[in-house]
Amino acid sequence: MIDLRSDTVTVPTDGMRKAMARAEVGDDVYGEDPTVNRLQDMAAALLGKRFALFVPSGTMANQLAIRCQTQPGQEVIVESTAHIVRYEQGAAGALAGVQLHWVPGERGVMTAEQVEAAIRPKDPYSIPTALICLENTHNSGGGTIYPLSTIEKIRAVAVKHGIPMHLDGARLLNAVAATTLPAASYAQHFETVSLCLSKGLGAPVGSLLISSEQGLIERARRYRRMYGGAMRQAGILAAAGIYALEHHVARLKEDHDHAKKLARLLQQIPAVRISPQHVETNIVIFDVEDQRRTPAEIVAALRGQGVLINAIGGRRYRAVTHLNISAKQIDEAGAVFARVLAP
Ligand SMILES: *Cc1c(COP(=O)(O)O)cnc(C)c1O
């Protein structure tokens, strides 16, 4: 099977499994797991920040960021198709008691003008705006890279209004690989950043919440426990994360090349609508014009030929390249798409 449903389907390599087996561990609730501590230090340093907290999922990292920087009854500005809006089960409302203020972006990217217009006036009857969340790269937007210049402009607005910023950086290192800008050049504009180890980086589990504010990370540690995310000998998992940061960052560029190749192959198929110039990282979003079959039938037909992708609503589909997809498999997938989507 050529599994292009998501970069979360990656499985640990032999090298990663060996690193996990060898990991020195301790009880992380006591702060005594040396491997977790090492991963946290590495991640903080990578982003030019002082502290990091290892958590089970990207959702938890985002939700801790929201919980620690808001009060119940406040509002968080977020792009309308963000992971925080679509895929976190309403956690911001359910767990932090905040309201999300959706701003429709262009392939996931908001402008500074839009963000400023969404900030509530400071008066006795408007809900206070507590936090601004950006997502880089933007998943539903199609792996879109937030231009650094746009982030700088949004940051200037945030500073002017005294509002902190959180970056959902689940795939921040994909943006780094594509632009060759240092991760810290993005991270410097945010009070908190989340980073996923279990996407293109290929670890089985784990994300980090990263910040330079010690008090914030201490509060996040308490809420992590409240949310059921405090783990014990988590060094087994952190070792996979360290291995991923050491061995799987430089190769992300390969995934991007594969995605661009796939986009060019898809473009040659008459039924496919795609803009290859919008494929900036490892996510390929495209439409299929097919009056005969439903999206579920098209997905099943592709599956029958050995290619897995996701239908994401309407006539739209998503294919994601990753660690376990080779250049040869991209060519094979291209041939399967051409066959299955032929008129
Ligand atoms: C995957 C993802 C997350 C976190 O997902 P988990 O499954 O909770 O680890 C957060 N943000 C974005 C943009 C993602 O793609």
Side-chain angles (χ1 to χ4, degrees):
M1 278 290 175
I2 301 173
D3 194 344
L4 300 169
R5 287 172 303 167
S6 173
D7 45 10
T8 56
V9 301
T10 52
V11 293
T13 60
D14 287 341
M16 184 178 279
R17 285 174 190 267
K18 287 202 179 87
M20 294 172 78
R22 277 197 307 265
E24 199 189 330
V25 296
D27 190 334
D28 183 50
V29 172
Y30 292 105
E32 289 174 3
D33 189 303
T35 309
V36 169
N37 292 339
R38 190 152 84 83
L39 171 63
Q40 290 174 166
D41 290 345
M42 266 178 86
L46 177 66
L47 268 62
K49 302 228 180 266
R50 291 173 59 209
F51 306 100
L53 185 68
F54 186 50
V55 297
S57 69
T59 297
M60 191 178 290
N62 284 339
Q63 291 305 322
L64 292 176
I66 291 173
R67 181 69 179 247
C68 290
Q69 296 178 97
T70 61
Q71 299 292 328
Q74 293 184 330
E75 192 166 73
V76 173
I77 293 174
V78 61
E79 201 276 330
S80 58
T81 62
H83 194 277
I84 287 171
V85 171
R86 284 193 169 172
Y87 302 122
E88 301 191 3
Q89 306 300 321
L95 303 179
V98 295
Q99 171 169 301
L100 297 180
H101 184 147
W102 303 359
V103 173
E106 177 67 28
R107 290 185 299 118
V109 174
M110 304 181 282
T111 65
E113 291 74 24
Q114 284 181 302
V115 170
E116 185 151 39
I119 295 172
R120 304 290 183 182
K122 287 196 174 77
D123 59 38
Y125 36 85
S126 294
I127 178 169
T129 303
L131 184 67
I132 297 164
C133 294
L134 309 188
E135 184 176 314
N136 189 22
T137 64
H138 199 289
N139 181 352
S140 296
T144 329
I145 300 166
Y146 241 102
L148 192 53
S149 57
T150 305
I151 295 176
E152 285 164 357
K153 288 187 191 116
I154 294 175
R155 181 59 168 179
V157 166
V159 168
K160 179 173 140 197
H161 293 268
I163 300 168
M165 303 225 310
H166 169 66
L167 177 63
D168 178 348
R171 293 189 184 80
L172 176 62
L173 296 183
N174 288 90
V176 168
T179 61
T180 70
L181 293 169
S185 65
Y186 288 109
Q188 63 177 328
H189 298 296
F190 299 87
E191 275 66 26
T192 51
V193 181
S194 60
L195 191 69
C196 276
L197 301 164
S198 59
K199 300 276 168 76
L201 295 181
V205 177
S207 286
L208 292 138
L209 178 66
I210 302 159
S211 177
S212 282
E213 294 173 35
Q214 188 166 17
L216 191 151
I217 291 293
E218 278 167 8
R219 284 201 308 287
R221 184 179 292 278
R222 198 173 87 75
Y223 286 122
R224 180 184 67 172
R225 187 154 176 81
M226 184 188 285
Y227 289 5
M231 300 179 284
R232 300 292 181 173
Q233 285 72 33
I236 303 266
L237 302 174
I242 292 171
Y243 187 93
L245 290 178
E246 285 176 343
H247 296 92
H248 294 166
V249 174
R251 62 154 307 286
L252 288 173
K253 187 79 178 59
E254 249 176 71
D255 297 342
H256 301 173
D257 293 342
H258 291 166
K260 288 188 180 81
K261 174 78 186 291
L262 183 62
R264 287 195 300 275
L265 294 174
L266 284 165
Q267 195 185 22
Q268 292 164 17
I269 302 170
V272 172
R273 302 278 170 274
I274 186 169
S275 305
Q277 75 275 16
H278 288 163
V279 178
E280 299 178 50
T281 55
N282 68 327
I283 299 178
V284 183
I285 289 184
F286 57 98
D287 291 344
V288 176
E289 306 290 341
D290 186 323
Q291 307 309 326
R292 291 176 296 130
R293 294 174 291 184
T294 65
E297 285 167 344
I298 289 176
V299 167
L302 289 165
R303 179 185 279 266
Q305 305 272 322
V307 172
L308 303 182
I309 61 165
N310 279 334
I312 56 169
R315 289 267 158 211
R316 189 151 286 186
Y317 302 81
R318 189 184 80 152
V320 185
T321 59
H322 53 78
L323 187 60
N324 297 142
I325 297 292
S326 65
K328 183 163 159 284
Q329 286 177 311
I330 291 295
D331 290 332
E332 287 169 14
V336 168
F337 280 117
R339 215 162 42 238
V340 170
L341 302 178

